[in-house]
Structure formats: structure tokens, C-alpha cells
Amino acid sequence: MSTDKWFVMGVDLGSTTAKAAVVDQDGALCGTDVVQMGAVSREAVARAIEGASIAAGVPREAIRRTVSTGYGRRLVPGADRTFTEITCHARGAAALRPGVRLVIDIGGQDSKAIIVDDDGLVERFAMNDRCASGTGRFFDVLARALEVDIDAVGELALTGADGLEVSSMCATFAETEVISLLAQGQDKADIAASVHRAVAARTLALVAQVGRATPAVMTGGVAKNPAAIRCVSEALRHPIEVLDQPQIAGAYGAGLLARDEYRGARTAPTARDAATETKMASSSPGGRRHCASCDGVLDGNHVHAGGPVMLDLQRND
């Protein structure tokens, strides 16, 4: 390794996975790792960081700066600073797919629609973090009710017919409805297909808050689900492009921001990210949240079905 070459790292700690990306001084993605976890976990972060470093062939001590992002970004040890997942997914997606204008991120606990400008910065975004419908957790609920592996639920949905509808988008009630449909003898594939269409309709409503744009990509683990890609594309009436590494977009974006800061660049969207974080915080009231749709008290598997928060950001960084 050349003595004058340096590296930075981006770490994305989500609600169900920890991702890390090593980026070199030219902005190239050198090594990544994705670690599945049951909950926010420092151990998973450590494994992802080690895995990305090994994949890049870069010792941990050679990393000059680390930026963290995601649901648990403040829990990442050794991070020099944090950025929101909104900012990092936009930046990473723009690097993975130059020219992208719409980023749809479906994570484990929330979903987001982000309009991206020419520089890979966020122009405006809409976010639903109050309801499990349309998130990775919703697909976990579906897979559990159908008794199929989560990695197989998308392929199953692709074989389903269009006639069936699942009426409830509440994660708790949808599981009950799916079990009821199974008891009626409905085909598993038809049920899976109907849930994917319902999720796509919810995603379309979120995109409507920011406006449709192309090219469009999806980031997050749900982007690996072929039925989700197809159904969202059909709902939007234009194709969602598939990234080679959709789960790593946030970590890559964080790594690019770390690179910019280490180089002393003045382009880091600090003010814009601060406005994003303020709006995200105001949309998520503290304490136990209450579901207005089902009038139920929530637990860790069920999040309030409130409308999305939308923020329009001006170019004044």
C-alpha cells in the first residue's frame, strides 16, 4: 500500500442491519460489509467495520475519518461525526447511479422518498417513520404469517394473481388478516402479491409528497425484493432501477462525506443536514406512540400510522 494513500469509512447502523464501507481518497468504494442483526447492536457494528476493512485490505488504523449514519448513528464507536440517513442515502445513491433524481429508501422501521439534485444533495424529502406498513418490518410480518423465509417472499409474490386484496395496512392487523385468508384457503402467492401491491400503493403516496422524478432507484434491504421493485415501478408508471449494492448506499454516502471533510472540502451539506435532522426529530414524538388508525397502544413491532413528514430544502448551504 502506498504511504501517501489514505482511506475513510462510512458506517450505517440501521434497525436491522449494520453496514460499513471503506472509501479511498478518490471516492472509490474499496470494501463493504453488511451484518444482519436482531436489534441495534454495537457488536454488529464492530463486525461490519472489521468486515469492510478486511474486504478493502485496509487496516483499521489506516482509516483517517469515520462518519456514521442511520437509525443508531450515535451508537457507532469511533465516529468523528454523524449525518442523517436522508443525506447519506442521497449521496450514496447518486454515486452508485450518477444522475439519479428520486431515491426511495425502504428500511426496517421507516420509508423515505428523496429528491436529489445535480450534486447528490437532498432537495426535499418525505418520510413515514410512524407506521410499519411499507417497511422491512411489514415484510417480516408477512413472511412470518405465510411461514416462508423472508428472502423468498418476493419470488413467491411474483407468481401470485392480481385478484386478491389485503385491506389492512396496519402491521399488527395485516398479520391477522393474512392468517384469516390462509384459513379460507387463499393461495400464499396471491396473498404475498396483494401485500406487495399494497406496499407499492403506500410508497406511491409517499412519493406524491415530493413529486415523481426519473431516474429513480430504491435503496435498503427491500430493494433486493424483486416483487417490491416490480410493484413500485408499476405504481409509479416508470422503472425503478436496481443498484448493485442497494443496502450499502447509506454507508457509501457517509464515507463520501467523510472523504470530503477530511480533504477540507466546503461542500459538505452541514446546514441542510441539520435542518433535515430537526424535521425528522419533530416528526417522532418521544414516549410510547399511539396508533390513530387502530386505536391501539404500540409495542416494538408496530409504529403509528401517521402521515409522512415532508421537508423542502433550499440551496443555502
Side-chain angles (χ1 to χ4, degrees):
M1 187 191 328
S2 173
T3 57
D4 60 353
K5 187 154 188 174
W6 50 267
F7 302 86
V8 295
M9 180 173 285
V11 181
D12 179 5
L13 179 54
S15 60
T16 58
T17 55
K19 289 82 65 177
V22 175
V23 177
D24 71 12
Q25 60 194 37
D26 298 319
L29 192 58
C30 300
T32 66
D33 197 21
V34 178
V35 176
Q36 296 290 137
M37 58 192 186
V40 175
S41 165
R42 286 188 173 90
E43 179 183 354
V45 170
R47 287 169 52 200
I49 289 172
E50 180 181 10
S53 299
I54 292 172
V58 176
R60 186 70 182 92
E61 56 271 20
I63 302 297
R64 303 290 179 85
R65 189 168 183 83
T66 298
V67 166
S68 63
T69 189
Y71 189 78
R73 57 188 175 275
R74 291 183 178 84
L75 300 177
V76 176
D80 295 291
R81 72 167 298 173
T82 68
F83 279 93
T84 66
E85 57 266 41
I86 302 288
T87 296
C88 291
H89 274 268
R91 183 64 184 278
L96 291 168
R97 200 308 186 184
V100 69
R101 286 296 177 266
L102 172 63
V103 178
I104 297 171
D105 175 49
I106 301 181
Q109 295 277 12
D110 56 34
S111 52
K112 317 168 192 75
I114 309 166
I115 295 294
V116 182
D117 69 11
D118 291 336
D119 299 317
L121 301 178
V122 179
E123 279 193 357
R124 56 189 178 274
F125 75 91
M127 177 178 181
N128 180 17
D129 67 344
R130 298 183 176 186
C131 181
S133 64
T135 69
R137 185 171 293 279
F138 194 76
F139 287 108
D140 287 338
V141 168
L142 172 65
R144 182 172 65 243
L146 294 178
E147 297 183 327
V148 299
D149 188 83
I150 184 62
D151 293 330
V153 74
E155 294 290 348
L156 178 66
L158 289 175
T159 67
D162 293 339
L164 188 64
E165 289 188 10
V166 172
S167 60
S168 177
M169 282 300 290
C170 167
T172 300
F173 287 178
E175 183 172 17
T176 301
E177 185 173 359
V178 167
I179 292 171
S180 176
L181 289 170
L182 289 171
Q184 295 169 26
Q186 298 289 348
D187 186 74
K188 286 186 176 183
D190 294 347
I191 296 172
S194 69
V195 171
H196 280 73
R197 289 193 301 272
V199 168
R202 177 59 66 93
T203 303
L204 177 63
L206 194 62
V207 171
Q209 299 291 317
V210 298
R212 302 187 195 191
T214 57
V217 301
M218 186 183 293
T219 60
V222 175
K224 299 169 65 177
N225 179 321
I229 292 290
R230 187 183 75 176
C231 290
V232 172
S233 295
E234 290 175 351
L236 293 177
R237 297 182 181 176
H238 62 71
I240 297 293
E241 298 185 24
V242 179
L243 300 174
D244 288 338
Q245 299 185 74
Q247 284 183 284
I248 211 67
Y252 186 24
L256 290 171
L257 290 168
R259 166 185 172 265
D260 291 348
E261 289 199 336
Y262 188 74
R263 293 176 64 187
R266 296 180 177 273
T267 57
T270 303
R272 192 177 300 200
D273 188 72
T276 298
E277 185 154 28
T278 298
K279 194 66 176 180
M280 290 170 65
S282 68
S283 74
S284 301
R288 290 178 64 84
R289 289 176 284 185
H290 182 76
C291 182
S293 295
C294 66
D295 198 31
V297 177
L298 309 182
D299 59 23
N301 295 321
H302 181 197
V303 192
H304 174 69
V309 56
M310 201 274 275
L311 179 62
D312 196 349
L313 297 168
Q314 301 299 318
R315 293 299 303 271
N316 57 4
D317 298 325

